[in-house]
Amino acid sequence: MQLGAEPVIYGLIFIAVLVVVEGLYLVVFGKSIKMNNKVNRRLQMLDSGKRRDDVLEKLRKEMDQHSESRSVPLYSLLADRAEKAAIAFSPKQLMMIMVLVCIMAFVGLTAGTDASLPVRALMSVGMGVGGVFMWINGKAKKRLAMIEEQLPDAVELMVRSLRVGHPFSSAISIVSKEIKDPLATEFGVIADESAYGRDIGDALKQMAERLDMQDMRFLAVAVTIQQQSGGNLAEILEGLAKVIRARFRLFRRVKAITAEAQWSGKFLSGFPLGCLIMIQVTDPHYYDEVLDHPWFIPCCFIVAILLTLNIFVMRALVNIKV
């Protein structure tokens, strides 16, 4: 019993989809779009000679464009993650990229496999849409993780700036210049908006809601309360930085403790599907004798429902809020 080359081809085509999307992203926007640049993207755009208001308008458009396209049926699946990842591609460009990679996947499946036309069409659509979604989801997770890690340092830098006499708007601007992306560009946008007259508390609150980060909400609430009732903002932010660091350490500890359970849930859900695929590849006629049995299709549905429930149950068991 020999393993065919088709599963390998499927995997290589799917990997090629991810590489193509990442390559297009870097080609269109350059290395400045990478999230861990020492010089953040906003400063690079300003250094290139662009006006401050033009840079602010461009960055705000990139941040808000995905939430404005949630009504599009297919794109609604990507909008939330694309907004958190701050994908610079517009919704229309992402839809075009999905179509492009679907076509590329179809051509690759046609050239490399003997699958029927419906199978090739279904697999190419799955690879195109699924590949773009995985790429965006990976970007969003990486970006949010980096912001969570950078936030305590940013708050402590604000505290030091306030204690030497800088106003809070200047402290925000200093943070946007001294730390790396992605948080630097986010605070740079807030600094620019503040310079044009927007309330900093409202800008922080909007950023917290867009990123859906609890620590950022704490920062926005602290600044808003201080603006309304007064008080020593440096001491408030110093305490907040300690709380954020403690929550971050606790979250990492919980993540380490639940890692085994998370992978167990993924394995228990994916192993039956993997076995099914391997059986079909190595012996396509394995189920021929029971295909006509009246209980075959109902049992398939029952297994699919149980596997789906397993995913949700295991996720609920390890989803510990910090």
Side-chain angles (χ1 to χ4, degrees):
M1 189 178 296
Q2 296 181 349
L3 183 65
E6 289 195 2
V8 178
I9 294 174
Y10 291 152
L12 291 176
I13 292 175
F14 188 73
I15 294 172
V17 166
L18 299 178
V19 172
V20 167
V21 177
E22 180 71 17
L24 286 173
Y25 199 52
L26 293 177
V27 168
V28 174
F29 298 102
K31 291 184 178 180
S32 64
I33 201 69
K34 297 177 73 174
M35 288 183 283
N36 56 351
N37 276 358
K38 293 182 179 179
V39 180
N40 66 70
R41 185 168 176 239
R42 170 178 166 271
L43 291 182
Q44 288 188 349
M45 294 170 68
L46 291 173
D47 291 341
S48 65
K50 294 183 179 180
R51 295 169 51 190
R52 187 178 182 182
D53 54 343
D54 293 336
V55 173
L56 175 61
E57 182 181 0
K58 179 178 177 60
L59 293 175
R60 288 301 310 166
K61 182 180 179 181
E62 290 179 359
M63 292 176 179
D64 297 335
Q65 62 185 347
H66 301 291
S67 61
E68 297 172 354
S69 303
R70 295 179 186 273
S71 58
V72 179
L74 181 59
Y75 191 75
S76 60
L77 300 173
L78 307 174
D80 181 66
R81 306 307 296 173
E83 185 179 23
K84 289 181 172 59
I87 298 297
F89 280 135
S90 67
K92 186 178 294 185
Q93 289 173 328
L94 280 176
M95 297 289 286
M96 292 175 62
I97 289 173
M98 281 193 289
V99 173
L100 174 64
V101 295
C102 285
I103 295 173
M104 292 177 58
F106 183 80
V107 172
L109 291 172
T110 302
T113 67
D114 296 326
S116 61
L117 179 61
V119 173
R120 280 180 284 148
L122 184 62
M123 289 292 294
S124 61
V125 172
M127 287 182 179
V129 178
V132 173
F133 180 81
M134 283 187 60
W135 177 75
I136 292 176
N137 189 52
K139 289 279 186 183
K141 287 184 177 180
K142 180 180 178 181
R143 187 170 187 268
L144 293 178
M146 293 180 68
I147 290 177
E148 288 178 347
E149 189 171 352
Q150 290 176 314
L151 187 57
D153 294 333
V155 176
E156 289 178 350
L157 182 56
M158 291 182 209
V159 172
R160 292 193 292 270
S161 300
L162 291 171
R163 283 180 171 168
V164 298
H166 292 292
F168 186 62
S169 58
S170 297
I172 292 286
S173 180
I174 291 172
V175 169
S176 69
K177 297 175 182 177
E178 296 297 328
I179 63 175
K180 298 180 182 180
D181 266 346
L183 192 59
T185 296
E186 292 282 354
F187 275 98
V189 170
I190 292 177
D192 291 341
E193 289 178 337
S194 174
Y196 287 110
R198 187 178 184 184
D199 181 71
I200 294 181
D202 291 340
L204 286 170
K205 183 178 179 181
Q206 183 184 11
M207 180 176 68
E209 294 301 324
R210 176 166 46 81
L211 298 176
D212 192 21
M213 289 182 57
Q214 192 65 35
D215 292 338
M216 199 69 73
R217 292 191 183 98
F218 292 156
L219 176 61
V221 170
V223 172
T224 302
I225 292 176
Q226 192 276 336
Q227 288 176 336
Q228 295 175 355
S229 60
N232 191 329
L233 184 57
E235 290 184 1
I236 296 172
L237 294 183
E238 183 180 17
L240 179 61
K242 294 179 180 177
V243 171
I244 294 174
R245 283 197 184 278
R247 292 183 75 250
F248 184 74
R249 287 195 298 268
L250 181 59
F251 180 77
R252 285 290 181 91
R253 185 177 180 182
V254 170
K255 187 176 180 180
I257 293 173
T258 59
E260 182 180 357
Q262 291 178 357
W263 280 105
S264 296
K266 294 176 182 178
F267 177 79
L268 292 174
S269 299
F271 183 73
L273 296 178
C275 288
L276 177 62
I277 294 173
M278 290 296 295
I279 290 172
Q280 288 298 107
V281 170
T282 56
D283 189 2
H285 305 289
Y286 185 82
Y287 292 105
D288 287 353
E289 296 182 1
V290 295
L291 284 177
D292 297 329
H293 196 281
W295 282 99
F296 182 76
I297 299 299
C299 286
C300 290
F301 279 106
I302 292 173
V303 170
I305 293 172
L306 290 176
L307 289 175
T308 304
L309 288 175
N310 176 70
I311 294 174
F312 287 105
V313 170
M314 293 299 296
R315 180 174 295 180
L317 290 175
V318 299
N319 187 23
I320 301 174
K321 298 295 184 181
V322 179

